[in-house]
Amino acid sequence: MSRYTIAVTRTASRHSDPDAVIGYDRPLQTFFLQAFPDADGENLELWLGTDLREFETLSRLRTAAIARGFDFIPLASASFTSCWTTMPAKRITRSATRSSRIFSTEHPPADVNPQRK
């Protein structure tokens, strides 16, 4: 899981959370955004990206934040965005099994298809 600190702003009041967290959750294959914790730091006013493939792009994450009355500065840092643009695009679906992943490889293991003469 990758996590970075970012500033998130409530659009109505222009109040910001300079310690919000944005990142990518590999097991869920989604970007996430967490901002505005309560006084105890246990509950968040904004927490997006908790479901499988909920936000597959930063653009979709930002659109969802704006729809809920929040915004963050578009990410322009090359070091920040490059960590996701260089990630492998390989996805494993929930219904995939170990055997289906083995047989979907370009070159099957030697014991799967032995050649007989």
Side-chain angles (χ1 to χ4, degrees):
M1 181 180 306
S2 302
R3 300 171 61 92
Y4 296 89
T5 303
I6 188 171
V8 173
T9 305
R10 281 191 195 103
T11 52
S13 67
R14 303 305 300 167
H15 177 76
S16 69
D17 177 358
D19 298 317
V21 176
I22 191 168
Y24 187 81
D25 187 324
R26 281 184 183 242
L28 289 178
Q29 301 172 19
T30 187
F31 288 96
F32 65 88
L33 181 64
Q34 301 169 338
F36 294 99
D38 64 7
D40 297 329
E42 294 182 19
N43 297 310
L44 295 165
E45 186 176 341
L46 179 65
W47 190 344
L48 302 173
T50 59
D51 293 326
L52 182 66
R53 296 186 189 153
E54 187 175 2
F55 301 107
E56 294 185 283
T57 66
L58 288 171
S59 176
R60 288 183 182 172
L61 179 65
R62 185 166 184 234
T63 298
I66 291 169
R68 288 165 178 78
F70 299 90
D71 197 5
F72 56 91
I73 296 172
L75 307 167
S77 167
S79 61
F80 179 79
T81 55
S82 70
C83 70
W84 288 302
T85 58
T86 59
M87 284 179 20
K90 180 180 175 183
R91 292 185 185 158
I92 299 172
T93 63
R94 285 186 277 180
S95 62
T97 62
R98 184 177 184 280
S99 61
S100 67
R101 288 192 304 266
I102 290 170
F103 293 114
S104 68
T105 61
E106 193 172 315
H107 302 286
D111 62 337
V112 172
N113 191 11
Q115 294 184 359
R116 299 178 190 209
K117 293 185 180 186

